[in-house]
Amino acid sequence: MNTILSIQSIHKTFEAGTINENHVLRGMELDVQEGDFISIIGGNGAGKSTLMNSLAGTLTVDQGDILLEGKSIKNIPAAKRAKDIARVFQDPKMGTASRLTIEENMAIAYRRGLARGLSWGVKDSERQIFKESLKELGLGLENRLKVDTQFLSGGQRQALTLMMAALVKPKLLLLDEHTAALDPKTSDMVMDLTKKIVENHQLTTLMITHNMENAIEFGNRLVMLHQGRIVVDVRGEEKKNLTVQHLMDLFHKNSGQVLSNDELILN
Ligand SMILES: Nc1ncnc2c1ncn2[C@@H]1O[C@H](COP(=O)(O)OP(=O)(O)OP(=O)(O)O)[C@@H](O)[C@H]1O
Ligand SMILES: [Mg+2]
């Protein structure tokens, strides 16, 4: 199997040398195989978002290395990594430009990584591609290409953001609690679409979630973070057989903490 991403003993400390010094990533190691869909769980402050920021390049790590297809990306700026690494955040407003239409947003996603100097305006040939992609979502957005995304619901915006991420196949898709701001029914809808898009486009995916049931149900592999390290890594049959109680026990065993109801979200 092809290792697409190799995280090699990365460290990140915030506010080093001050009274607030916080050693968040503490020698994190993870090899991700092509096609892996990994659920990432862990308590608040465990370092999950810091890990994703480090992968996307919005943060630089202090030590260790990050290899994408065998090449170090540690010193490559976020804007350059964006061609290969797509992200979906918790806030639906983050994924699209509100005052641009669906097709304009899609054109930006479609052209990422291409040379600049393209004339503005969506071409008919592109519009056809966008329509076909949107049909895959089953939300009727293919008939609303000229609507500003500010008029879409949170769930529709997350679905569109996911589709935009897949429009040009990224090497890595990062989902940071991308359904956490949605109501339970919409969250289920977006999770089903996530599964469909990841499978149809064979995307290598890391998904942070606080929803233990989703963490068990989706993906082929599950990792648990605690204090900036991976303390549990299960896959395949073993993952399928996990239960929420089992995960809570594992969390307790590794952290000494009991998850509160707030942290354990069961929609
Ligand atoms: N830019 C920053 N500057 C200073 N401290 C930061 C920064 N980003 C994160 N931290 C701190 O690092 C720690 C880990 O934060 P991180 O966001 O990675 O946690 P998380 O696992 O994503 O938690 P949550 O489940 O609450 O989203 C926290 O203590 C946080 O306050
Ligand atoms: Mg986070």
Side-chain angles (χ1 to χ4, degrees), residues 35-259:
D36 265 349
F37 180 175
I38 306 181
S39 306
I40 300 177
I41 60 170
N44 294 116
K48 303 179 297 295
S49 296
T50 302
L51 167 66
M52 286 206 175
N53 288 330
S54 306
L55 297 176
T58 48
L59 280 178
T60 45
V61 295
D62 304 325
Q63 275 180 59
D65 209 350
I66 301 168
L67 308 186
L68 189 65
E69 290 186 328
K71 293 194 198 91
S72 176
I73 55 167
K74 190 168 82 161
N75 297 317
I76 295 181
K80 275 204 167 168
R81 291 191 214 180
K83 180 169 73 73
D84 294 325
I85 302 178
R87 294 183 90 177
V88 185
F89 296 94
Q90 180 170 342
D91 182 354
K93 293 193 187 76
M94 296 281 283
T96 52
S98 308
R99 287 161 194 272
L100 296 183
T101 63
I102 291 179
E103 67 174 20
E104 286 164 345
N105 273 285
M106 291 186 85
I108 292 169
Y110 188 62
R111 297 169 189 182
R112 73 173 177 260
L114 295 181
R116 291 183 191 261
L118 284 171
S119 58
W120 183 238
V122 179
K123 298 191 201 107
D124 273 341
S125 56
E126 290 177 324
R127 199 166 281 126
Q128 282 316 311
I129 295 168
F130 300 164
K131 275 194 174 183
E132 287 308 310
S133 295
L134 290 170
K135 276 185 197 159
E136 202 181 321
L137 297 176
L139 300 174
L141 295 180
E142 64 276 14
N143 303 317
R144 301 178 68 192
L145 283 175
K146 303 219 184 270
V147 171
D148 284 2
T149 61
Q150 62 179 315
F151 299 116
L152 301 183
S153 69
Q156 288 169 334
R157 283 183 84 154
Q158 289 306 69
L160 174 61
T161 306
L162 276 167
M163 179 43 74
M164 282 164 47
L167 211 48
V168 180
K169 186 177 174 177
K171 291 181 179 148
L172 203 58
L173 173 63
L174 305 179
L175 309 173
D176 191 345
E177 298 193 52
H178 71 304
T179 66
L182 307 173
D183 65 75
K185 215 172 124 218
T186 309
S187 168
D188 286 346
M189 182 276 283
V190 172
M191 275 314 307
D192 288 341
L193 282 174
T194 303
K195 182 172 190 283
K196 189 167 148 186
I197 291 170
V198 166
E199 282 175 4
N200 288 355
H201 299 263
Q202 298 182 310
L203 304 177
T204 306
T205 303
L206 304 186
M207 176 181 79
I208 297 173
T209 180
H210 277 272
N211 184 315
M212 300 281 169
E213 288 188 332
N214 282 351
I216 293 169
E217 182 181 348
F218 296 95
N220 65 316
R221 194 171 162 195
L222 180 148
V223 302
M224 183 185 290
L225 257 65
H226 181 60
Q227 294 182 344
R229 281 197 204 99
I230 285 164
V231 292
V232 172
D233 185 353
V234 291
R235 55 185 98 202
E237 282 302 304
E238 194 187 351
K239 173 172 185 290
K240 278 194 202 130
N241 294 331
L242 284 170
T243 61
V244 172
Q245 187 58 47
H246 193 178
L247 277 185
M248 288 171 73
D249 292 346
L250 277 171
F251 186 80
H252 183 233
K253 193 176 121 206
N254 283 288
S255 68
Q257 294 161 16
V258 178
L259 282 177

